[in-house]
Amino acid sequence: MHIVMVECNPNGIAGIANALRLGHRVTLVTADPDFYLNASPLAADAYAHPNCEVVKSADAFSIDALEQLVKEIHAAHPVDGVTTYSEYHTVHAATVARALGLPGLSVEGALNARHKHRTRLALRGAEGVRQPRFAHVEDPAGIEAAIREVGFPCVVKPSDGTASLHVLHLTNEDELQAYLAELAKVSDYGRGVTRIPDLLVEEFVTGELVSVEACVLADGTVVNLGITDRTLSGFPYFIEMGATYFADHPLREPLFAMNEKVLAGLGIDFGFIHTEYFLTPEGPVLCEVNGRLVGGIVPGLMKISCGVDPYLEVIRQALGETPELPFPGEVIATGRWFGSPVEGVLESIDFAAVEELPGFHEALSYRAAGRQVSKLSTSNFDWLGHLVFTGTDRDQAHGRAEAALDRIDVQVSVKVAR
C-alpha cells in the first residue's frame, strides 16, 4: 500500500517509520526535509528506507500545486491513502484525498476546524455547545471595534495558528498595540506556511483546559476515546507545560456529549480529532478544534497507556482499514515539558537523577549543547525537552512528574550585563 504524507510533525516520523516496517510505501511531501532531520532521531533512517520517498516542494502549502504534484505521484505509483499529522496541512490532505477519491476528512469539515473563526461562526447558536463571546477580525484595522465588542480582558489569536503561537491574554490598549506590532512582523509560520490575516478576539474564559480525543469512523460514527488534561504556563501566554491521557474525568459524560455535537456541527466526518474545552463552573466551553491526531507527546502517552500506536492507526484509517482505537488503559502516563529560565547558550542537560525515580519512562532533550536557547516565554517552541512518567492513577503520575522536574540539571551560559 502507498501512503502520501503531506508534511508531518517531528514526533509523527514514528508513524512513517512504523508504516515502513509494515511494508508500506511512504511518500513524504515537504517544503523542508531538513526540518525533520533536525527534529527527529528517526528521520534519517526513515529517509534512507528503500520504500520511502521524500519529495521536496517549495509549493507544498499551495493547494493547487500540491494537488497537481500528488496526481503526478499517483500516476507513477498509485496512491492508496493521503494523510497528515500537521495542523497546518489538514485542509491540504483533505483536498488531495478528495481529488484522488480516497478516504479523508471532508474539505468543509477541515476548513471549519482549521480556521478558528470558521469554528466559532459555524457553531454560533448550536444547541448544547457553549462558546466564549467572540469577534472575527478580517482586517487588523477592525481590531479595536472587536475589542470594544468583546471587552477586556480578552484573548487574541491568529485564526490559523497552532502551538500557542501568537496567542495572548490582553488587559488594556497598550498591550493590544504592542501585540499588533509584533504580529505584523509575522508573515509565515515556517516550512512555506503563509499566515492569513484573520484574527479572533475572544472573551477570556477561566477554568481547567482539557481535550477530548476522538475518532470518526468511515461511516461517520464518532467514538470518544479519552481525555487529555493540560498544565499551562502563566499569563499572558498559554504555553502547554504538561499533559496526561486518561478516562475517568468527573465531567467525562458532558464533555463527550458536547464533543459529538461540535463535530457534527462542523461537518467533521472522518479521522482522529483533537478538541479542546475549558471547564467552567457553568460547564464545558469550546476552546478549539483540530482536524487531526493530537500533537506533541500525547500520542506517545496513549501508546504507553493501551499499547496502540495512534500514529500508525491514522495511516491505517487513511488506507481504508478500520483503525484499532487507543482507549486509555490501566497504566496512566503523563508528560511534562520544561524550558530555560534565561536566554543563553545551552551547555548540557543531565537526566541522571531523574532516570532513577519511580514511574520513569522517558526523558528527551530537544536541543543540542552549544545551541542558543530562549527563555521559556511565548510558545511551545521555547521547550527544551520533556519527561514522561507513569502511575496507577492521574494523581500519582502527576506527582511523580512534577517532582522529577526539580531533578533535571540544566546548564546554560549567559552573557554578563554591560
Side-chain angles (χ1 to χ4, degrees):
M1 302 286 274
H2 182 196
I3 186 83
V4 168
M5 181 71 66
V6 181
E7 290 289 355
C8 191
N9 65 37
N11 290 328
I13 296 295
I16 292 177
N18 285 341
L20 292 167
R21 278 195 288 272
L22 289 178
H24 295 306
R25 180 186 185 96
V26 179
T27 299
L28 170 63
V29 179
T30 173
D32 184 5
D34 290 343
F35 171 80
Y36 304 104
L37 287 172
N38 294 330
S40 170
L42 302 177
D45 286 345
Y47 285 11
H49 195 286
N51 283 348
C52 182
E53 181 178 7
V54 179
V55 177
K56 183 177 180 179
S57 171
D59 296 325
F61 195 67
S62 165
I63 288 181
D64 291 342
L66 176 67
E67 188 173 326
Q68 180 58 38
L69 174 60
V70 176
K71 285 180 178 178
E72 293 170 3
I73 293 170
H74 179 62
H77 300 283
V79 175
D80 301 294
V82 178
T83 193
T84 187
Y85 303 125
S86 167
E87 172 64 21
Y88 294 128
H89 298 85
T90 51
V91 177
H92 300 69
T95 302
V96 172
R98 181 182 65 180
L100 297 183
L102 297 172
L105 176 59
S106 72
V107 175
E108 186 73 8
L111 284 165
N112 284 340
R114 175 73 193 104
H115 297 300
K116 296 174 176 60
H117 69 276
R118 287 186 60 132
T119 301
R120 295 292 186 218
L121 294 169
L123 294 173
R124 182 154 57 186
E127 183 177 355
V129 177
R130 296 185 65 242
Q131 300 195 90
R133 294 193 316 277
F134 70 91
H136 170 215
V137 182
E138 298 181 70
D139 184 324
I143 190 75
E144 292 180 358
I147 293 285
R148 285 194 296 272
E149 180 181 342
V150 174
F152 288 118
C154 63
V155 174
V156 182
K157 60 183 73 171
S159 184
D160 63 346
T162 189
S164 301
L165 275 172
H166 316 299
V167 179
L168 193 64
H169 173 262
L170 301 177
T171 62
N172 58 57
E173 183 68 26
D174 290 342
E175 292 177 355
L176 171 62
Q177 295 306 319
Y179 171 82
L180 293 176
E182 287 300 311
L183 190 63
K185 303 174 186 176
V186 180
S187 60
D188 66 77
Y189 299 118
R191 287 180 288 167
V193 180
T194 56
R195 182 176 75 83
I196 66 173
D198 299 68
L199 299 173
L200 199 61
V201 179
E202 296 181 348
E203 168 193 9
F204 175 57
V205 176
T206 59
E208 179 187 4
L209 179 67
V210 302
S211 60
V212 175
E213 316 311 334
C215 182
V216 185
L217 302 178
D219 63 1
T221 300
V222 176
V223 182
N224 292 305
L225 304 171
I227 293 170
T228 308
D229 68 11
R230 288 290 190 280
T231 302
L232 299 180
S233 66
F235 293 142
Y237 297 95
F238 300 89
I239 311 173
E240 295 181 359
M241 298 305 298
T244 312
Y245 182 61
F246 65 110
D248 57 352
H249 196 285
L251 293 180
R252 168 185 165 140
E253 295 311 315
L255 279 166
F256 281 6
M258 185 180 292
N259 200 54
E260 293 186 21
K261 294 175 181 177
V262 166
L263 301 190
L266 295 177
I268 293 176
D269 59 356
F270 184 88
F272 284 80
I273 309 296
H274 166 69
T275 308
E276 298 180 355
Y277 296 91
F278 297 110
L279 304 183
T280 74
E282 292 74 33
V285 174
L286 177 65
C287 176
E288 66 179 45
V289 183
N290 302 117
R292 42 81 183 168
L293 179 69
V294 58
I297 59 175
V298 179
L301 304 182
M302 298 166 87
K303 184 178 180 181
I304 293 167
S305 181
C306 65
V308 176
D309 180 1
Y311 285 123
L312 185 56
E313 298 311 309
V314 167
I315 289 175
R316 290 186 60 236
Q317 188 176 21
L319 292 171
E321 302 175 26
T322 300
E324 186 175 356
L325 299 179
F327 294 101
E330 293 183 3
V331 174
I332 301 300
T334 190
R336 290 295 184 275
W337 291 279
F338 63 92
S340 173
V342 295
E343 180 180 351
V345 175
L346 180 65
E347 294 188 349
S348 65
I349 299 178
D350 186 351
F351 295 115
V354 172
E355 294 169 352
E356 62 189 24
L357 297 175
F360 171 79
H361 182 86
E362 177 181 271
L364 183 66
S365 169
Y366 302 163
R367 300 286 187 272
R371 293 280 299 274
Q372 184 75 24
V373 296
S374 59
K375 176 182 177 181
L376 180 75
S377 57
T378 62
S379 79
N380 298 358
F381 294 103
D382 293 331
W383 291 333
L384 287 185
H386 73 253
L387 307 174
V388 175
F389 277 77
T390 62
T392 56
D393 56 37
R394 184 166 60 139
D395 287 343
Q396 185 183 65
H398 275 205
R400 288 173 168 177
E402 288 293 328
L405 289 172
D406 293 329
R407 306 287 292 273
I408 305 171
D409 184 0
V410 177
Q411 301 291 326
V412 177
S413 64
V414 299
K415 293 182 179 180
V416 297
R418 297 177 184 273

